[in-house]
Amino acid sequence: MSVILIDVALFSFLLLTAFAIVRLRNLFAVTMLTSVFSLLSAGLFVTLDAVDVAFTEAAVGAGISTVLLLGTLSLTPHDEKPATRSPLLPMLVVFITGAALIYGTMDMPAFGSADAPIHQHVGPDYIERYPHDIDMPNIVTGILGSYRGFDTLGETAVVFTAGIAVILLLHRSTLGRRRREDEEEDL
Amino acid sequence: MEDLTFDFIIARYNYWLVITLMMTGFYVVVSRGNLIKKIVGLNLFQTSVFMLYISAGKIIGGTAPIFTDNPDEVYSNPLPHVLILTAIVVGVATTALGLALIIRIKETFGSIEEDELLKIEHDYDTTGKMPTAEGRP
Amino acid sequence: MHHHLILRIVSKFLIPPILLYALYVQFHGDFGPGGGFQAGVIFAAGFILYGIVYGVSHLRRVLPPALVRALAALGVLIYAGTGVVSMFLGFNYLDYAAFASDPAHASHGQHYGIIVIEFGVGLTVFAVMTAIFMAFASRAPEIKDTDW
């Protein structure tokens, strides 16, 4: 029961933060609230036994994302312009989507039950085979590196590609300037 | 459909709260015209999806999937954790890419509001002239 | 940056423990929570703190952008190269059992393999995060002391 209380408390903080993000138009405040949201969700992940995920969310969501958003804000306007369109249509779309999703949860297995389909096949199989296959206690690291090594190789390549793309978009290279000067000389 | 008993709600409230958060992020994405606000909304949506996955992996009475000395220990399902862990890092990399595009849009068109950008595009289509942006270096 | 004595001194105290903690997270990830993804981000956070407090030009002197880009590629290369090495040893691609000194204890080989690829992941994530920060920060005008 105490787990449920902690859960509900964290969720109410998360909801308050999310609603404040919707309402506020000062983007600095929105950035800081996004950081708070990430930190709270990291807390939620700990209560849900996902310590590795919580760690990553705290470092990435609350740390790096905030720095990047602040970096963007130093180059763009700090305030959002007031909305010109009526919020009715978005509201309607959101409510219909939300209602459909909630209707979908009616058939979902109860939260935290050990006999849900997700706990029947791959996951428990990994846990069973793990001590024989790999001699390290952290199952998440083992699955990440070994059983799902191809996945992680792909993800690393995605991070690398995104980094290259950002550098290409934002880097002020001396090469381009030099080439332009050369062209002017040719003329 | 089963009746809305207390047990039924206790077994589902987690999903409902996650969906509420998800829809809040979705609302920010579809209703706000500011591009940075849209990225923030996408982040909210993304984090809620992570919560949904992690909720599915939780076993009540279980513990974090790090082996202990107790052989009878029940561990929560580690598979969603692995998937989401990599998704978070890929998520921040793609967010950075989105923000980089926003900076370039601001430098080229002088605005990051959707309405103004649409107007600039419309003007370009009708007159064939690109407005000179104030933000251009 | 000549003002803000407290900020400079405090960050000087903070950066070494941040980097040390990142190394701990990197190489202790097989026993507790952690691993390459988290460690790379924390290691980058140390350098980003340095860049924010002392300015990007100082950060560029510590970490030349060319080096950062090379490190990002090197991380992916280490990861993919591990798979190639295991293939040359007669195993499947990324089958770390190849690195066991004693074939009866394949699980030790798995451990070595995971340490190596986690190092590759950490290197790439660190380099990409630092490069992204540098790219963003070099666009913005440097913050002057008087602006604070």
Side-chain angles (χ1 to χ4, degrees), chain C residues 136-148:
Chain C
F136 274 83
S138 60
R139 282 261 153 180
E142 190 108 357
I143 302 171
K144 290 187 219 68
D145 280 0
T146 45
D147 290 348
W148 291 61

Side-chain angles (χ1 to χ4, degrees), chain C:
Chain C
M1 168 109 4
H2 300 291
H3 298 79
H4 306 294
L5 186 68
I6 293 175
L7 201 59
R8 271 186 295 142
I9 300 295
V10 168
S11 62
K12 254 184 203 166
F13 273 110
L14 275 179
I15 290 169
I18 291 176
L19 299 184
L20 196 63
Y21 182 60
L23 290 176
Y24 164 76
V25 171
Q26 171 81 52
F27 293 110
H28 201 261
D30 32 359
F31 298 103
F37 284 104
Q38 296 93 328
V41 170
I42 296 172
F43 209 72
F47 283 94
I48 290 174
L49 178 62
Y50 182 79
I52 290 175
V53 174
Y54 290 86
V56 193
S57 48
H58 278 72
L59 179 61
R60 266 205 220 98
R61 238 178 286 158
V62 178
L63 272 179
L67 176 71
V68 175
R69 269 171 264 162
L71 285 179
L74 183 67
V76 182
L77 189 70
I78 288 176
Y79 198 143
T82 312
V84 175
V85 171
S86 76
M87 231 159 58
F88 275 119
L89 290 172
F91 288 78
N92 287 331
Y93 189 70
L94 287 179
D95 184 353
Y96 315 125
F99 306 118
S101 48
D102 174 9
H105 293 98
S107 62
H108 293 307
Q110 294 279 353
H111 199 155
Y112 296 138
I114 289 170
I115 287 176
V116 173
I117 63 119
E118 287 278 3
F119 179 67
V121 170
L123 211 54
T124 297
V125 172
F126 154 68
V128 166
M129 293 302 157
T130 318
I132 290 176
F133 169 74
M134 280 178 173
F136 274 83
S138 60
R139 282 261 153 180
E142 190 108 357
I143 302 171
K144 290 187 219 68
D145 280 0
T146 45
D147 290 348
W148 291 61

